[in-house]
Amino acid sequence: MKKNILLVFIFGLSISSFAQLSSKDLNNLREQWLKAKDDSSRLRIAFDLASGYRFSDIDSSLFYTEQALAIADKGKMRSIRAQILSLKGATLLESGRLPESLQFQFEALNISESIMDTSSKAFALNRIGNTYMELADYPKANEYYFRSKELFESIGDTGMYYNEISNIGNIYELLAMPDSALYFQQIVYEKSLDNNDRNKYTRPEIMFRMGNAYKLKGNKEKALDFYKRGVAESYIDNDLRNLSMNNLLIARLYKEINLPDSSLKYAYQALKTGRTVSFRKGVYEASSLISEMYKNNHQFDSAYKYITLANAEKDSLTGTKRFQELQRIVLSEQEWQRDTKAKRIAIQNKQKQYVLIGGLGIFLIIASILYRNNKQKQKSNKILESTLTNLKSTQSQLIQSEKMASLGELTAGIAHEIQNPLNFVNNFSEVNTELIDEMEQELDKGNLEDAKALAKNIKENEQKINHHGKRADSIVKGMLQHSRNSNGQKELTDINILTDECMRLSYHGLRAKDKTFNAKTETHFDDHLPKINTVSQDIGRVILNLFTNAFYSVMQKKKQRGEGFEPVVTVTTRKTPRAVSITIRDNGNGISQTVIDKIFQPFFTTKPVGEGTGLGLSMSYEIISKGHGGELKADSREGEYAEFTIILPI
C-alpha cells in the first residue's frame, strides 16, 4: 500500500511538465530505464520518457507510454492508468489521430470521475477541449477549458491554470475576437515573465499565441517578433512540435507581406520539423503553403508534388473513416454519460426513500420533544429577539459613528480648502471699498479720467471676487456631495478628479488635527481613463476612507521613526480592457499577515481603542463589491507598506 501511495505522489509531479527534455536528459533517462529493476522506478522513468518525447519523437513517446501502462495495469493502479491514458491521447492528438485521442481521453475522464481524482480529471478535460478545438467546435472546446481551469485552480496547479487561460484566449483568436484573445494571452505572457520555471509555462506556444493575437489586431511587425521568439524558445525546450508551428506562422506572415523567398524557407523548416515528430497538421498546412507558393511561381510540378503530400495528410486527419470513428466515440461517450446519470438518479431515489422512512420515525420522536419544550423555547425566543434588537441598535449607532467621524475629517479638510478663496474674497472686497472712496473724491474734483481708471480697477477686482466665490461654492458643493446620503443613482464620474479631490480633503483633514504633520503625495493618473457609471458619493467615501487610513499609517510611523523617515502616499489610476483600477499605497507600518484576511470584517480594527470602530473598510468593501460589482484588494508587508486597489468594471 505504501509503495502505491509513493508512486501516485511521484506521478503527480511528472504529469504537469510542459518543457521537453534535452537529448542529454533523455539519454540519461534511457540508461536509468535499462538499469531499473523495481516497477516503481520503471513506471516513473517510463512516464518521464513518454512525456519527454511527446513533442519531439511521437513513436518513442507511444512506446514508453505502453510500457508505463503495462506496469500500472499489473499493479491495478487506476489513478495512474487514467494519467497514462490521458498522456497517450494527448500524444496521439499531436500526430493528428483525433478519434483515438478522444477515446483515450474519455476513458481517462471516466476513471478519474469514478475514483474522484481531481488532477487526472482536470487533465482529461483539458485534452478533450484540445480535440474539440482541432475539430473547430470552439464553443465546445471552451466549455471543457473553463471546467478544467476551475479544477486546476482548486488543486493549486498554477502552470496548468494559466495554460487553460491561454487556451481560452486561443479560442477567442480562432473566433476572430482580437481584444479578448490578446487580453487572455497577455495575462499568461506577463505571468511567464515573472516565473523562470520552464516546466510550468510552454513558452514557445505562449509566443506564437501572442503573435496570433497581435496579427489579428493588424500589428504584423509585433506578430513576427513573437513568432521568432517562439522559434528561439522551441530550441531551448527541444519542443519540435511548437518549432514547426512557429516556423509555419512566420512563413504565412512573410507570404502576406509579399516576401516569397523568406516564406518558402520557413515553410520548408516547418515541414521538415513536422515530419520529424509526425505532426500531421503541421505537415499538411506547410505542404499546402509550399504548393501554393510554387503554383504562384508557375512551378507546377513542384506544386503538384506538395499538394499530393498535403492531401495524403489531410485524408489521415479528416477522411470519412476518421470522422465515422470520431462520431462513434462521441455517441458512445454520450450514451455512457446518460446511463451513468440514470443509475445515479435511481440510487439517489432509493436513498431518498430510506431517508424518508427513517425521517418519519425521527419526526415523531422530535415532535413529542418539541411539544414538551415549546413553552420554554417561546420564552427563550423573546429573550433572543430583545437581544437582537439591542444588537442591531448598537450596530446602527456604530455605523453612524463611523460616518460622522469620516464627515468630521472631511469637514476639517474643507475648512482648510475653503479658507484660501475666502481670504481672496475678503481682501479684494476691502480693496474695492477703498477704491470706491478714492473714485468719489476724483469725481468731486472733476477728474473723470482718474475716476474711470479706478472704476476699471474695481471691475477687475469684482471679477476676481466672483471667480474665488465660485471656487468656494464648488468646494462646498463637493463637501455636500461627499457628506450627504447616497440616492443610489449611478452617473458618469471622472475618477481622476474624484480621487484627487478626496486625497486633498483627507490630507488637510489630518493637518487640521495635527499641524506638525506633513507627507509627500504622488499622483500617477491615467490621462486616458474613461468616465464610468458609479454612485459618486459612495465611491468618494471609499476613496476618502482609504486615504485617511494611509495618512494615519504614515503619521504613526513618522512619530516612531522621527526625522529620518519621509511619509509618502501614492495614488495610481489605470485602465485595463474591462475595468478601471485605483491603487493607494503608503510607506507606513503596513498590516501583519496574520490579520490581513480579517481587515474587511465588520468591527475589526488595528487602531487603538477609541480611534476606530472597524467599520470603514467593511463598509468600503460592501460599496465596491455589492454596490458596484467590483473588487477591493489589499496587499501589505508589515513595517514597509500597505496597498489597497479598487477595481471598478467599465
Side-chain angles (χ1 to χ4, degrees):
M1 184 66 179
K2 290 182 179 177
K3 180 179 177 182
N4 288 350
I5 293 172
L6 177 62
L7 265 169
V8 173
F9 177 74
I10 293 170
F11 241 59
L13 293 176
S14 300
I15 195 167
S16 63
S17 175
F18 284 115
Q20 296 304 288
L21 300 177
S22 66
S23 299
K24 182 180 178 181
D25 290 336
L26 289 169
N27 288 334
N28 288 336
L29 280 173
R30 282 198 302 271
E31 289 178 8
Q32 292 177 34
W33 166 258
L34 295 173
K35 294 176 183 178
K37 301 194 182 301
D38 60 278
D39 284 347
S40 173
S41 299
R42 289 173 63 82
L43 179 57
R44 176 183 58 79
I45 297 167
F47 191 87
D48 286 345
L49 282 166
S51 300
Y53 277 121
R54 179 180 162 197
F55 295 131
S56 58
D57 187 341
I58 286 175
D59 291 336
S60 295
S61 178
L62 292 175
F63 169 78
Y64 287 107
T65 300
E66 291 300 326
Q67 298 296 317
L69 200 56
I71 299 171
D73 288 343
K74 176 183 174 183
K76 297 181 181 179
M77 307 170 193
R78 297 187 68 200
S79 176
I80 297 175
R81 175 178 173 79
Q83 296 175 30
I84 299 170
L85 288 173
S86 181
L87 174 62
K88 184 176 182 180
T91 306
L92 289 171
L93 180 63
E94 298 301 331
S95 64
R97 294 160 66 180
L98 274 65
E100 298 96 320
S101 172
L102 200 57
Q103 184 171 5
F104 284 118
Q105 297 303 347
F106 280 137
E107 186 178 349
L109 178 62
N110 294 337
I111 293 172
S112 60
E113 284 182 334
S114 67
I115 61 176
M116 292 184 288
D117 183 344
T118 304
S119 177
S120 298
K121 180 179 178 180
F123 274 95
L125 291 172
N126 154 255
R127 289 157 175 171
I128 292 171
N130 291 344
T131 307
Y132 278 113
M133 184 270 292
E134 294 294 343
L135 291 169
D137 190 345
Y138 303 134
K140 195 76 172 175
N142 250 1
E143 176 188 328
Y144 280 96
Y145 287 147
F146 274 105
R147 287 174 62 190
S148 59
K149 178 176 75 72
E150 291 177 3
L151 291 181
F152 284 126
E153 185 177 21
S154 71
I155 61 177
D157 191 335
T158 55
M160 285 304 300
Y161 170 77
Y162 284 103
N163 179 69
E164 294 309 80
I165 291 178
S166 177
N167 284 336
I168 292 166
N170 184 51
I171 293 298
Y172 285 125
E173 185 257 318
L174 294 170
L175 289 169
M177 298 170 67
D179 291 335
S180 296
L182 186 58
Y183 171 76
F184 282 97
Q185 299 302 348
Q186 193 79 36
I187 291 172
V188 184
Y189 173 67
E190 290 177 358
K191 190 68 180 177
S192 70
L193 296 180
D194 294 335
N195 194 308
N196 294 323
D197 187 354
R198 302 190 73 87
N199 289 320
K200 282 194 173 182
Y201 302 95
T202 314
R203 283 171 169 76
E205 185 175 74
I206 291 171
M207 295 305 168
F208 81 68
R209 286 183 172 179
M210 283 289 291
N212 287 345
Y214 275 112
K215 183 181 176 185
L216 191 61
K217 288 181 74 68
N219 192 336
K220 293 181 179 179
E221 183 179 352
K222 205 154 191 176
L224 183 61
D225 176 61
F226 273 106
Y227 293 150
K228 289 189 174 181
R229 289 169 65 183
V231 170
E233 297 285 358
S234 297
Y235 280 117
I236 294 172
D237 285 351
N238 191 30
D239 187 346
L240 301 185
R241 187 262 194 195
N242 281 318
L243 176 61
S244 178
M245 276 301 301
N246 278 287
N247 279 325
L248 176 62
L249 292 166
I250 293 172
R252 285 178 178 167
L253 190 55
Y254 275 134
K255 180 177 180 294
E256 289 181 20
I257 59 179
N258 199 27
L259 292 173
D261 291 340
S262 297
S263 176
L264 200 57
K265 170 189 170 184
Y266 281 96
Y268 272 124
Q269 290 289 340
L271 176 60
K272 178 183 175 183
T273 312
R275 277 177 157 176
T276 302
V277 291
S278 302
F279 178 34
R280 290 182 174 175
K281 180 183 177 183
V283 172
Y284 163 66
E285 294 184 0
S287 301
S288 299
L289 180 60
I290 293 170
S291 174
E292 186 180 352
M293 299 288 290
Y294 278 127
K295 181 182 175 183
N296 293 341
N297 204 31
H298 304 290
Q299 294 175 266
F300 297 110
D301 289 343
S302 296
Y304 177 76
K305 171 185 173 183
Y306 285 98
I307 199 62
T308 302
L309 176 61
N311 287 335
E313 293 297 334
K314 182 180 179 182
D315 185 61
S316 69
L317 288 168
T318 61
T320 305
K321 208 174 198 186
R322 286 273 176 194
F323 273 89
Q324 286 176 346
E325 180 67 13
L326 190 63
Q327 187 178 34
R328 180 189 67 76
I329 292 168
V330 172
L331 291 174
S332 175
E333 173 64 16
Q334 290 174 347
E335 185 178 354
W336 184 88
Q337 293 282 3
R338 283 195 297 270
D339 290 345
T340 302
K341 186 177 180 181
K343 289 176 183 176
R344 185 170 63 250
I345 291 172
I347 292 170
Q348 288 174 348
N349 287 338
K350 266 190 183 178
Q351 291 173 342
K352 286 177 182 177
Q353 289 175 1
Y354 294 142
V355 170
L356 181 60
I357 293 169
L360 285 172
I362 295 170
F363 174 76
L364 292 173
I365 297 170
I366 293 174
S368 63
I369 296 172
L370 288 175
Y371 178 77
R372 188 175 59 191
N373 297 331
N374 185 48
K375 289 184 178 181
Q376 293 179 355
K377 286 192 175 181
Q378 286 179 353
K379 185 178 179 181
S380 299
N381 286 339
K382 286 181 180 179
I383 296 171
L384 181 60
E385 286 175 9
S386 175
T387 303
L388 287 174
T389 301
N390 292 335
L391 182 61
K392 287 180 180 178
S393 175
T394 303
Q395 185 178 10
S396 298
Q397 290 172 10
L398 284 171
I399 290 172
Q400 185 62 27
S401 172
E402 181 71 24
K403 288 183 178 179
M404 293 305 294
S406 176
L407 181 59
E409 291 168 358
L410 173 67
T411 305
I414 288 293
H416 186 282
E417 286 289 310
I418 206 172
Q419 189 62 50
N420 192 33
L422 288 179
N423 285 340
F424 277 107
V425 170
N426 291 333
N427 291 338
F428 282 119
S429 296
E430 291 175 4
V431 170
N432 273 4
T433 300
E434 295 174 1
L435 290 175
I436 290 171
D437 290 340
E438 291 181 23
M439 185 176 69
E440 288 177 348
Q441 294 173 9
E442 296 299 327
L443 286 172
D444 290 340
K445 295 176 183 178
N447 297 332
L448 294 179
E449 290 301 322
D450 291 341
K452 285 181 180 180
L454 290 168
K456 184 179 179 182
N457 289 338
I458 293 170
K459 183 178 180 181
E460 290 175 354
N461 288 346
E462 285 297 323
Q463 289 173 347
K464 291 176 182 177
I465 290 171
N466 181 262
H467 168 74
H468 290 290
K470 286 180 178 179
R471 182 181 165 199
D473 180 63
S474 69
I475 293 172
V476 172
K477 285 179 179 177
M479 179 187 71
L480 293 174
Q481 184 178 21
H482 280 290
S483 62
R484 72 189 178 202
N485 287 330
S486 168
N487 59 11
Q489 295 296 317
K490 291 187 177 181
E491 58 188 5
L492 286 175
T493 304
D494 189 319
I495 294 297
N496 285 342
I497 292 175
L498 181 63
T499 304
D500 185 60
E501 178 183 303
C502 291
M503 181 181 68
R504 289 187 291 105
L505 294 180
S506 176
Y507 179 67
H508 291 306
L510 279 178
R511 286 272 298 157
K513 290 181 181 179
D514 184 354
K515 296 295 184 184
T516 64
F517 172 68
N518 282 292
K520 180 181 178 182
T521 58
E522 297 179 356
T523 58
H524 306 285
F525 291 142
D526 187 341
D527 295 333
H528 303 291
L529 216 61
K531 290 185 177 182
I532 60 173
N533 269 321
T534 67
V535 182
S536 59
Q537 298 97 321
D538 289 349
I539 296 298
R541 284 174 184 161
V542 173
I543 299 171
L544 188 66
N545 181 60
L546 296 179
F547 272 121
T548 300
N549 289 346
F551 285 123
Y552 176 85
S553 179
V554 297
M555 181 171 67
Q556 294 301 114
K557 191 171 182 179
K558 177 69 173 177
K559 290 178 180 178
Q560 297 167 6
R561 299 282 184 90
E563 295 302 320
F565 170 71
E566 181 185 19
V568 180
V569 174
T570 306
V571 58
T572 304
T573 60
R574 188 167 69 92
K575 178 184 178 296
T576 64
R578 297 173 182 268
V580 165
S581 68
I582 309 161
T583 300
I584 298 170
R585 182 185 178 103
D586 67 75
N587 64 340
N589 286 319
I591 306 167
S592 169
Q593 292 300 312
T594 59
V595 302
I596 196 167
D597 293 334
K598 302 177 184 178
I599 60 175
F600 296 121
Q601 295 176 6
F603 310 113
F604 182 84
T605 180
T606 58
K607 292 181 180 179
V609 176
E611 292 192 27
T613 63
L615 288 171
L617 286 177
S618 173
M619 288 193 297
S620 297
Y621 188 83
E622 291 288 315
I623 290 169
I624 297 300
S625 61
K626 293 185 179 179
H628 291 79
E631 294 181 73
L632 178 57
K633 298 179 177 180
D635 179 35
S636 179
R637 182 174 294 170
E638 189 173 7
E640 294 185 22
Y641 71 90
E643 181 178 279
F644 286 83
T645 300
I646 302 169
I647 300 175
L648 297 171
I650 297 176

